[in-house]
């Protein structure tokens, strides 16, 4: 039966090519936009190297101090606070500390100045995250403790500074008049992975800042790796209870401390002035779903009108089928199959258009080192959206046509 429905649907699509073209254009264009947006979001917060185990990662990157007389201070955290309180949490598997963001540095090749982004981290940074090493190794705990001038660089930095990525380990790179020995080369990390991105990484102890400064606020963050995804709520709760117990700094000035361990999505979805357990994720998700639904609803309504016009032309066919005993359910299934086939074809075209648009975005280098692509998750979402789109736009025309009265249709009383 399904095969017969598909054959009829294919013949119908070929019979009215203009309607088919209009429908496919609307479906494929809508899906292309949605898939490109989803591919970018997936590339930013999905499981990608080096944040491969994103379901086990938590980020402590914001703190809020409430003033007694009203107002608040929001910032990333101080290194001494993270080292004393977050590194000693009992439930995580590992905790890594690093600068909250990268800093711009300069290297010179002859008269040419090269700009790079540098980030300082501890040695656990390389154990919590899953960088892909092309050569060499990460710096060790001893090198961090001794503030050794060693560096891990990405392949783009190696190519720009040395002109190659081969045989570079052990050579020296001079950044802001400071010489570092290269101990490892990793594959480029896209800028969208803001917690791990840099052109080169050096030990956190090489900073000129005072790492023993007891100020709760500063320029650092912690990346926390739970033993399993199931342990994430336990880690979040332990940190929340810790924040409730720690002394408030400058009690005459501040009244309360707020900070949370957030998932990757929550850590990126706002400035975290929302100190709830999930940050601003719920607001972000609601706005995103509302925008996506509205974006799909408008072309769906247009497709409903096109479908109603197209199926009204088949009133005589429906009347004859009803006269020979076709049931309402059988007619509805046939029209739904036809519409779902149409939207699946639109979905395939949408995937092709989205792939082409992502290639153009990648070639524009809008985000350094980003390589947006259509992976299995994006294709799965495309299939789901096409089915949803097909059912959303096909139910009403199918119901309307299945309710036509055979006698009126055969007498020609149904207007086309």
């Amino acid at each position: 039966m399904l095969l017969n429905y598909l054959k009829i649907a294919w013949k119908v699509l070929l019979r009215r090519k203009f309607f088919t073209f209009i429908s496919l254009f609307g479906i494929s264009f809508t899906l292309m936009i949605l898939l490109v947006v989803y591919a970018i979001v997936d590339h930013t917060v999905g499981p990608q190297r080096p944040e491969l185990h994103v379901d086990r990662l938590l980020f402590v990157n914001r703190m809020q101090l409430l003033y007694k007389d009203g107002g608040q201070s929001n910032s990333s955290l101080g290194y001494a606070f993270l080292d004393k309180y977050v590194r000693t949490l009992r439930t995580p598997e590992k905790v890594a500390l690093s600068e909250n963001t990268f800093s711009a540095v300069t290297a010179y090749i002859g008269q040419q100045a090269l700009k790079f982004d540098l980030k300082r981290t501890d040695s656990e940074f390389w154990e919590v995250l899953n960088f892909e090493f092309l050569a060499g190794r990460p710096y060790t705990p001893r090198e961090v403790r001794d503030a050794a001038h060693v560096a891990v660089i990405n392949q783009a930095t190696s190519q720009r500074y040395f002109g190659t990525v081969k045989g570079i380990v052990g050579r020296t790179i001079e950044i802001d008049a400071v010489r570092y020995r290269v101990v490892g080369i990793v594959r480029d990390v896209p800028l969208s992975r803001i917690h791990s991105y840099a052109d080169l990484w050096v030990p956190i102890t090489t900073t000129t800042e005072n790492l023993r400064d007891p100020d709760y606020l500063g320029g650092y963050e912690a990346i926390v790796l739970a033993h399993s995804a199931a342990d994430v709520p336990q880690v979040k709760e332990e940190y929340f209870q810790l924040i409730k117990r720690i002394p408030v700094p400058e009690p005459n000035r501040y009244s309360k401390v707020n900070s949370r361990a957030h998932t990757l999505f929550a850590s990126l979805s706002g400035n975290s002035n929302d100190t709830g357990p999930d940050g601003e994720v719920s607001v972000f998700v609601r706005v995103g779903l509302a925008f996506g639904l509205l974006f799909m609803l408008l072309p769906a309504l247009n497709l409903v009108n096109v479908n109603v016009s197209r199926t009204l032309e088949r009133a005589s066919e429906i009347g004859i089928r009803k006269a020979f005993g076709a049931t309402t359910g059988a007619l509805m299934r046939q029209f739904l199959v036809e519409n779902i086939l149409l939207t699946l074809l639109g979905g395939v075209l949408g995937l092709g258009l989205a792939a082409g648009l992502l290639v153009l975005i990648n070639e524009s280098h809008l985000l350094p080192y980003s390589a947006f692509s259509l992976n299995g998750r994006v294709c799965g979402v495309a299939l789901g959206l096409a089915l949803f789109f097909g059912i959303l736009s096909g139910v009403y025309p199918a119901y309307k046509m299945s309710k036509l009265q055979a006698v009126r249709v055969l007498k020609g009383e149904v207007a086309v």
Side-chain angles (χ1 to χ4, degrees), residues 150-161:
V150 293
V152 174
I153 64 176
N154 67 1
Q155 61 185 115
T157 299
S158 179
Q159 191 70 45
R160 292 174 64 197
Y161 190 87

Side-chain angles (χ1 to χ4, degrees), residues 349-363:
L349 287 175
L351 273 173
L353 292 173
L357 185 56
L358 289 175
V359 169
L360 293 178
I361 294 174
N362 290 336
E363 291 180 350

